[in-house]
Amino acid sequence: MKKSRIKKYPIFTYLCCLLLVSVLFTGVTFSRYAFTTSGSAGAGAAAFGCSYEIEDFSSLNFDNSNYWVSAGGEGEGESYITSATPRTVRFTMRNYDDEGRVSGVDVRAHMRIYISAELADSLAVQVSTGDQTSAGGAYTPQIPLGELFYGRSGGTNANGTPALNATYADYGSETALNSSSFYDYGAQTAADEQFTVSGGLGTQSRTLTLESSAEQGGSGLVMTVSAGEQTVEYSVGFRRGVSETPLYLDLKREQTFYTIDITLPAMRYAGGGRHESTHVAYFTLTDRLENSARWYDNITKGDDGGYTTAIDGVGEAIAVTPVFAADGALVEDMARLVTDPAQGYYFLQNGARIDITGYHFEQTAPVAGGAEGQTTTVRIKCAYAEEAGKYNVSLYHVAPLSENAAYYVHPITWNGGENSLSCEYMPDSSPFASYGTGVCSNVGQIDISGITMDALRIAGKEADITIAVNRSYYFDMYALFVQDSQVG
């Protein structure tokens, strides 16, 4: 695999969105030497120095569709073709820091993934055991996380993939599991392995461990997964116009998150000498992620307690997820969430509260001092302020990380270093006109004088906002190093 050379950015954590026509890694840590540490644990202790870098990733989004899609035409019978392409992250870990100081103790590295259960349950993960550009590089078996966590219930889904249990499996202590039993979601070629699995995410410890033995011919993969609840921010994007960027509602709710630690024998480094290993993680979406949210401008509550809205061209009312204000009153028109800023708006979905914290969307803006006609993308984030009727408004630059990969989002500053202001919602006007230009770490000066807060209009005309097409998921990936007594 060719090593990409990508500009080093000073921003370590980037906020991105995940499309529901496309699903995105959000908050991916990306940097040369994104982590480095050195020093000693105390008098007489050997020095500890480690570092890692995420060198490249193929994309921040997944096409949101079932892994297999129907290809059969009328009278042709049912057949399926694959619709999923794995997303890859290239990872290098070292037992020395960015100043060349080598760890004096044996070290074991973990590839740690922190991810929402809602996304992880529909991912298959596979990891290269070494640098694929050198001889001897191989792959672990592919692990469909949903199958591992829940187990198969028997039968198949409509698209031919295996149906899973509704609750987490409990494997007890060292249950045998062969990777040949897993459904193949376009895995890289790898020999099947005998694993042992212990625990389960529904047990009291909420921890599961899967491991194979390198001594018995396996990859030596050890995967430990723990589950916990976390209140997190994410976004749902609604179609805005025909081809314009969506309007995202920024949300907050409690979700189940997994901490997934992956280690391989190549991630064990003996102290006293320089060692490193490069690995590529492959993530494949196995199932479509449903999202029934819909923007509405006239909602009613039925006799059955459900909420519906009439849609042009549809003969019957469509069920929607209702929004309520802080006092519990039904919000009949979702445009109010933009034009009437106030804390306390929330969705009520299956009895669970999902708080709405504001909205964001993107516009193009000229690059100040750039070539004629040169533009870039600016994100406008409007968060409900403590004072009713006002927003805290921030601007961010959306920039590519590499030609064929992803983008990241980082703050734009103006007027001596400010990057946020408090103001009322102002249709068809720009609160940034008096600031002129803003500055970011990537492209330099950006003309922000024409940036508006009005997400409900495009070029002065009312925008037609309809179904949800995007959803964000927080995804964090980094390296964890611990002292290891098993090296050698």
Side-chain angles (χ1 to χ4, degrees):
M1 183 178 293
K2 183 179 178 182
K3 180 176 179 178
S4 298
R5 296 184 178 275
I6 300 176
K7 178 179 177 181
K8 178 180 177 181
Y9 294 102
I11 309 299
F12 283 2
T13 302
Y14 315 123
L15 304 177
C16 305
C17 324
L18 177 90
L19 312 185
L20 213 150
V21 162
S22 212
V23 182
L24 270 196
F25 294 149
T26 303
V28 175
T29 301
F30 182 95
S31 174
R32 296 298 209 193
Y33 297 107
F35 172 90
T36 181
T37 184
S38 61
S40 64
F48 181 88
C50 297
S51 61
Y52 77 90
E53 65 188 68
I54 297 177
E55 298 180 36
D56 199 3
F57 44 85
S58 61
S59 177
L60 288 183
N61 63 74
F62 296 98
D63 292 335
N64 189 45
S65 60
N66 292 315
Y67 180 79
W68 294 106
V69 294
S70 175
E74 186 177 352
E76 296 179 4
E78 198 70 23
S79 61
Y80 294 91
I81 58 174
T82 179
S83 65
T85 301
R87 300 323 192 201
T88 59
V89 182
R90 184 181 176 89
F91 220 102
T92 294
M93 291 167 280
R94 306 177 178 88
N95 72 333
Y96 55 91
D97 64 22
D98 56 356
E99 295 184 7
R101 291 171 293 201
V102 177
S103 178
V105 297
D106 297 343
V107 172
R108 181 175 73 252
H110 297 267
M111 182 184 297
R112 172 163 285 189
I113 304 165
Y114 186 64
I115 185 171
S116 165
E118 192 172 18
L119 176 58
D121 288 347
S122 296
L123 287 182
V125 178
Q126 189 172 20
V127 182
S128 65
T129 60
D131 191 340
Q132 295 300 302
T133 63
S134 63
Y139 300 94
T140 70
Q142 183 188 69
I143 311 297
L145 297 180
E147 284 192 54
L148 174 64
F149 300 159
Y150 295 89
R152 294 189 183 185
S153 62
T156 59
N157 297 316
N159 65 352
T161 56
L164 306 181
N165 293 318
T167 57
Y168 291 126
D170 181 358
Y171 290 95
S173 178
E174 297 188 351
T175 298
L177 177 66
N178 196 289
S179 63
S180 62
S181 66
F182 288 135
Y183 191 82
D184 181 5
Y185 294 96
Q188 306 297 315
T189 301
D192 287 321
E193 293 184 21
Q194 186 72 23
F195 289 94
T196 58
V197 190
S198 301
L201 300 182
T203 62
Q204 185 174 2
S205 68
R206 303 195 72 183
T207 300
L208 176 150
T209 301
L210 172 129
E211 53 188 321
S212 72
S213 171
E215 289 76 12
Q216 297 180 11
S219 63
L221 170 70
V222 178
M223 177 187 292
T224 302
V225 186
S226 60
E229 305 306 311
Q230 179 72 35
T231 299
V232 296
E233 296 181 356
Y234 68 107
S235 302
V236 170
F238 295 83
R239 181 173 292 149
R240 189 171 66 105
V242 177
S243 59
E244 297 295 327
T245 58
L247 165 59
Y248 294 87
L249 287 183
D250 295 324
L251 310 175
K252 182 172 64 176
R253 69 180 172 103
E254 188 174 69
Q255 294 179 315
T256 299
F257 261 71
Y258 301 141
T259 300
I260 303 175
D261 283 331
I262 295 172
T263 192
L264 292 161
M267 297 177 188
R268 297 177 183 268
Y269 315 115
R274 292 165 63 99
H275 303 284
E276 68 176 59
S277 61
T278 298
H279 308 270
V280 179
Y282 295 77
F283 300 93
T284 303
L285 190 69
T286 62
D287 291 296
R288 179 178 176 82
L289 302 173
E290 298 298 334
N291 190 344
S292 59
R294 178 180 288 274
W295 194 270
Y296 56 78
D297 57 12
N298 185 15
I299 187 174
T300 58
K301 183 177 181 180
D303 295 337
D304 61 355
Y307 297 86
T308 59
T309 186
I311 304 296
D312 292 341
V314 178
E316 59 185 23
I318 293 179
V320 295
T321 301
V323 173
F324 296 92
D327 60 2
L330 177 66
V331 175
E332 298 179 358
D333 185 345
M334 284 180 66
R336 178 181 168 187
L337 304 180
V338 175
T339 59
D340 184 18
Q343 292 190 348
Y345 291 123
Y346 62 95
F347 282 106
L348 193 62
Q349 185 177 60
N350 299 324
R353 176 173 172 143
I354 304 174
D355 291 317
I356 304 171
T357 61
Y359 70 92
H360 73 267
F361 66 109
E362 294 171 1
Q363 295 178 21
T364 56
V367 175
E372 184 178 355
Q374 182 181 0
T375 61
T376 192
T377 301
V378 173
R379 175 172 297 177
I380 302 92
K381 183 175 177 63
C382 300
Y384 299 138
E386 290 186 9
E387 185 179 355
K390 289 192 175 183
Y391 284 108
N392 291 325
V393 188
S394 305
L395 299 184
Y396 298 84
H397 184 216
V398 182
L401 280 173
S402 62
E403 288 185 22
N404 301 316
Y407 59 82
Y408 73 100
V409 180
H410 55 284
I412 295 174
T413 60
W414 65 89
N415 194 26
E418 294 182 40
N419 61 9
S420 182
L421 59 85
S422 179
C423 63
E424 297 176 352
Y425 176 76
M426 297 180 290
D428 294 324
S429 65
S430 167
F432 304 97
S434 61
Y435 293 106
T437 59
V439 180
C440 82
S441 60
N442 176 255
V443 77
Q445 300 282 335
I446 300 174
D447 183 356
I448 62 174
S449 61
I451 294 296
T452 76
M453 293 171 54
D454 192 1
L456 301 179
R457 294 177 179 82
I458 300 172
K461 297 181 179 179
E462 185 176 354
D464 183 23
I465 302 175
T466 54
I467 61 173
V469 293
N470 302 18
R471 177 185 285 180
S472 68
Y473 290 88
Y474 182 84
F475 178 102
D476 200 7
M477 189 172 184
Y478 54 96
L480 176 71
F481 298 87
V482 297
Q483 186 171 346
D484 187 18
S485 60
Q486 301 179 34
V487 175

